[in-house]
Amino acid sequence: MREIEEKYINYIDEKIAEHNSISEQHKIDDRKDESDLEKIKVNIYEIFRTLFLSDIKQLEGKNIGEKADINIYGGFLLRFDTIPTNWKMSLDKAIEHGDTTKQVIEEHKMSVAKGLKDRFIEMFEEHGRH
């Protein structure tokens, strides 16, 4: 489990660094909206990073051995359904009211979450676990 945990955290940290760098470049280029959008992506990565570490920490205290992989896989996978729920509702309202800015923001948040979910599943499958 430790190997998957480290790889996943490293992946998230790389994405955070990448989007922080893009945000800074946009800021230099006086592209505030694009810079802000990259900051929003960073925030989503940070949220899921924090939740993942929290879930891992909770499991470590339970001493469940081999079942840890199954519990972290199933438990954390649910986060990708529960967390974006409000984003989806906000997206629907933005579309309904023609709020293009809010629509773009919510779509990007959901896209980041989907990418994180896909990578999470992929890592478990690479290790023959889930």
Side-chain angles (χ1 to χ4, degrees):
M1 180 65 205
R2 183 64 66 188
E3 181 182 348
I4 294 171
E5 176 185 340
E6 288 175 11
K7 279 186 169 182
Y8 193 62
I9 292 300
N10 286 339
Y11 171 77
I12 293 173
D13 288 345
E14 288 170 9
K15 297 305 265 181
I16 288 170
E18 173 187 336
H19 289 283
N20 272 328
S21 176
I22 294 169
S23 175
E24 287 303 312
Q25 187 57 52
H26 286 323
K27 194 183 298 183
I28 290 168
D29 295 341
D30 199 27
R31 296 168 53 193
K32 184 184 178 330
D33 291 342
E34 290 94 335
S35 177
D36 290 346
L37 192 55
E38 293 302 317
K39 288 178 191 173
I40 289 167
K41 292 176 188 178
V42 167
N43 187 38
I44 301 308
Y45 284 111
E46 289 174 342
I47 288 169
F48 277 98
R49 184 184 195 282
T50 299
L51 292 171
F52 183 67
L53 291 173
S54 173
D55 288 356
I56 294 289
K57 188 172 185 125
Q58 286 179 0
L59 285 175
E60 286 175 351
K62 294 184 180 177
N63 194 18
I64 54 179
E66 299 247 339
K67 291 185 179 181
D69 284 0
I70 295 167
N71 285 337
I72 193 62
Y73 182 80
F76 192 66
L77 209 52
L78 286 175
R79 300 275 196 184
F80 296 107
D81 294 330
T82 57
I83 300 297
T85 299
N86 287 334
W87 303 338
K88 176 68 175 130
M89 290 189 312
S90 183
L91 173 61
D92 292 342
K93 285 183 182 176
I95 291 169
E96 181 182 324
H97 294 101
D99 187 344
T100 309
T101 302
K102 186 70 171 169
Q103 180 180 343
V104 168
I105 290 169
E106 299 306 323
E107 288 172 346
H108 276 83
K109 288 162 63 174
M110 291 171 57
S111 176
V112 167
K114 183 184 180 325
L116 282 169
K117 178 181 180 179
D118 291 347
R119 186 67 185 124
F120 182 72
I121 292 169
E122 183 180 297
M123 285 184 177
F124 266 84
E125 288 176 350
E126 286 173 359
H127 287 83
R129 299 178 178 158
H130 61 93

